[in-house]
Amino acid sequence: MHRPIRLMTAALTASAALLLTACGSGGGDDDSSDKIAGADEGGKPKASASAGPGGAKRPGVELPKTFKADFVSWHNSDAKKQAILDDGKERLKAEYLAIMDADPQAKPLSFYTSMQALKSSQKYVKGYVDTNDSLVGSVRVFNPQVSLSDVGGVLFYCVDESKGYTENRKTKKRVGTPDDTNPVLQYRTTLRKNPDGVWSTVSLETERGGCDK
């Protein structure tokens, strides 16, 4: 997909460095593909409330059939790491939904994102709003690497956008990733568990070409 430049946040914490030195043991441990709930359903994108770990009422995010996201190997046998994976997945879905709803202030986005990461995500979504663009096609989200530290969690993952496109709401013109541009990005995020038990993403950055397909 053709994306506006994302606002980079401050450097990741020292726990990110720990993740990089032990990424082989921190990722998903299941090779199954986990498609987003509601990805094959028609109609307008929507969010529905659901209870999750810690008792928080989480706004579950459903995407329309015009845009699919496949989360591959998004599982971990450690319950705490799985909780980070679950909330990290919902954050990314919430960002996609905010783009399609043309709403930088979308509640699901601010539910799963806070601090500098929220400012970055809202600016990123606004970039699509300003150009009157939405999302169509599909992306593959894979190779999650998750680690815990004394201050929170770190989640790295890859997103293959080679089959994803922006679509202008008025002209319906679609634009994909240019042929000379790597369609795979690495997301680098740090998360903190808030008082409601939600693993909120507090910092994030992306690097195009940071992953292999």
Side-chain angles (χ1 to χ4, degrees):
M1 294 183 290
H2 175 69
R3 288 172 172 255
I5 296 175
R6 179 186 289 281
L7 174 65
M8 295 299 179
T9 65
L12 295 178
T13 62
S15 56
L18 295 177
L19 173 64
L20 291 175
T21 62
C23 61
S25 61
D29 56 7
D30 189 315
D31 290 334
S32 64
S33 175
D34 180 18
K35 291 190 177 182
I36 288 179
D40 293 325
E41 299 177 3
K44 182 181 177 180
K46 55 185 178 180
S48 59
S50 62
K57 194 173 183 181
R58 284 163 163 76
V61 182
E62 297 182 23
L63 302 177
K65 66 179 182 180
T66 53
F67 184 79
K68 298 180 181 180
D70 292 337
F71 286 81
V72 181
S73 299
W74 212 257
H75 304 282
N76 195 287
S77 58
D78 184 288
K80 290 183 179 179
K81 291 180 179 179
Q82 184 61 51
I84 292 174
L85 288 171
D86 291 343
D87 286 342
K89 176 170 71 173
E90 293 303 303
R91 192 217 71 82
L92 181 61
K93 290 165 56 180
E95 187 172 80
Y96 288 144
L97 181 60
I99 291 171
M100 288 182 282
D101 280 348
D103 184 8
Q105 306 300 321
K107 289 184 178 180
L109 183 59
S110 59
F111 183 89
Y112 292 106
T113 320
S114 56
M115 300 176 64
Q116 286 300 111
L118 181 58
K119 294 179 181 179
S120 174
S121 289
Q122 289 174 334
K123 182 173 182 178
Y124 180 60
V125 173
K126 188 176 183 299
Y128 282 88
V129 176
D130 290 345
T131 57
N132 202 26
D133 286 326
S134 186
L135 300 175
V136 295
S138 64
V139 295
R140 184 169 66 98
V141 189
F142 64 101
N143 193 24
Q145 301 171 21
V146 59
S147 177
L148 288 163
S149 72
D150 293 338
V151 296
V154 180
L155 174 61
F156 284 20
Y157 55 88
C158 305
V159 180
D160 182 358
E161 300 180 339
S162 57
K163 296 181 180 180
Y165 305 89
T166 61
E167 181 180 79
N168 187 270
R169 299 176 192 274
K170 183 177 181 179
T171 67
K172 302 303 180 183
K173 180 180 179 180
R174 295 185 178 184
V175 178
T177 304
D179 292 339
D180 59 351
T181 301
N182 193 320
V184 182
L185 296 93
Q186 184 180 59
Y187 279 66
R188 303 167 180 173
T189 70
T190 57
L191 306 91
R192 292 180 184 172
K193 194 173 185 178
N194 66 26
D196 293 325
V198 178
W199 284 96
S200 177
T201 296
V202 297
S203 73
L204 69 91
E205 61 180 17
T206 61
E207 180 185 356
R208 187 171 293 280
C211 301
D212 296 324
K213 283 188 178 182

